[in-house]
Every structure is written in C-alpha cells, then in structure tokens.
C-alpha cells in the first residue's frame, strides 16, 4: 500500500480492531495514529501514537481530516468522515471490513441521512448488529489486502 500512515477514529473503534491494527503497524511497519477525545491505551511501539483531542462534536473527525494526506488509510465507521477523507485521496475502511469508495460513499451518506430522518420523526430504526467474529475477520482480510498493495 502506498499509504503513508493509518489514522483511527478511535473513540468508537472496537478494541479487537485496535489489536489487529497494533500488530499490523509493527509488522509492515507503518505509523498508526489513534485519535480520540479520551485517553486510549496502546502498546509501547515507535510505530503507534495517540492524539487526544478536546471533547466535542466531530473534534476527532476534524483533526483526522486536517492531518490525513492522500494515500493515508483512515479507519472509521463515521460515514461523513469517510466521505471527507475520500475527497482528499485517502482510503477509508470501516471496522467491519467494508472499504468506502467514491462509488459507494454517496449511497452510504444517503442511507445515513434517511435513517437520521426516520429516527428524528420517532421511528426506532434499531442499531447496527453486534460486532462479530466474521466482522473481525473481514476487517483483518481487507486490511491485509490494502497493506499488500
């Protein structure tokens, strides 16, 4: 992968995904930066760092958008963040292993907005399914593919 580094929207990233990323950062090696508005525990490694931003709506997302450069990989389940970094030439991968692309991000944004509209009108849309072993495996496989290119 031509990626210069990996950025993680760490507040909502499952710990099992962080563990996969920690191993990958040392194996490749590649700089891994976890951005959160609370402290994040990471193993001691010269390839892994954390950035704690102030609390507030989208502060971590905005930091990632400002710092990421074309070719970087951003790990996030936040669809608007994924859209912004794709526009900058970054790759965006969600913790369930789905690669966001220019081709599919608009549809994801539209679905997100539609569900937000339903929720604001009182409809219970449920949440995402529980994070599964299959999700973890899909993420690991997609990450390996991206790091190998």
């Amino acid at each position: 992968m031509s990626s210069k580094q990996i950025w993680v929207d760490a507040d909502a990233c499952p710990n099992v995904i962080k563990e996969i990323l920690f191993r990958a950062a040392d194996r490749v090696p590649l700089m891994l930066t976890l951005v959160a508005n609370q402290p994040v525990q990471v193993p001691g490694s010269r390839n892994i760092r954390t950035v704690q931003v102030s609390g507030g709506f989208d502060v971590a997302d905005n930091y990632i958008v400002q710092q990421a450069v074309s070719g970087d990989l951003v790990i996030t389940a936040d669809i608007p963040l994924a859209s912004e970094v794709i526009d900058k030439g970054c790759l965006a991968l969600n913790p369930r292993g789905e690669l966001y692309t220019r081709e599919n991000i608009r549809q994801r944004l539209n679905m997100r907005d539609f569900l937000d509209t339903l929720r604001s009108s009182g409809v219970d849309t449920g949440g995402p399914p529980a994070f599964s072993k299959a999700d973890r495996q899909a993420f690991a496989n997609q990450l390996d593919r991206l790091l190998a290119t």
Side-chain angles (χ1 to χ4, degrees):
M1 178 170 99
S2 61
S3 178
K4 297 158 188 72
Q5 72 172 307
I6 300 173
W7 296 91
V8 182
D9 182 7
D11 285 316
C13 186
N15 286 332
V16 66
I17 296 304
K18 292 176 192 165
E19 295 291 332
I20 291 168
L21 290 165
F22 296 154
R23 289 191 298 275
D26 284 332
R27 184 181 76 236
V28 171
L30 197 60
M31 179 55 74
L32 173 66
T33 304
L34 293 94
V35 181
N37 56 29
Q38 57 194 358
V40 178
Q41 295 286 357
V42 298
S45 167
R46 60 187 178 86
N47 298 322
I48 302 170
R49 69 184 181 115
T50 62
V51 173
Q52 186 174 345
V53 296
S54 62
F57 188 69
D58 287 343
V59 176
D61 296 358
N62 293 337
Y63 182 88
I64 292 170
V65 169
Q66 291 166 4
Q67 299 299 315
V69 298
S70 181
D72 284 354
L73 173 60
V74 176
I75 309 301
T76 185
D78 186 288
I79 296 167
L81 172 57
S83 179
E84 286 191 71
V85 298
I86 287 170
D87 287 345
K88 289 186 76 171
C90 299
L91 297 171
L93 179 63
N94 82 14
R96 295 178 188 267
E98 180 184 6
L99 185 64
Y100 297 115
T101 65
R102 289 187 193 283
E103 292 73 34
N104 69 20
I105 197 67
R106 187 70 38 220
Q107 175 189 3
R108 301 295 185 280
L109 281 168
N110 289 341
M111 180 56 76
R112 175 191 171 274
D113 292 345
F114 173 69
L115 292 173
D116 279 351
T117 301
L118 287 177
R119 281 189 290 273
S120 67
S121 67
V123 175
D124 180 5
T125 59
F131 196 79
S132 71
K133 197 173 203 175
D135 293 328
R136 182 181 70 208
Q137 190 62 53
F139 177 85
N141 291 343
Q142 185 68 269
L143 181 65
D144 284 347
R145 279 192 290 277
L146 292 172
L147 295 179
T149 57

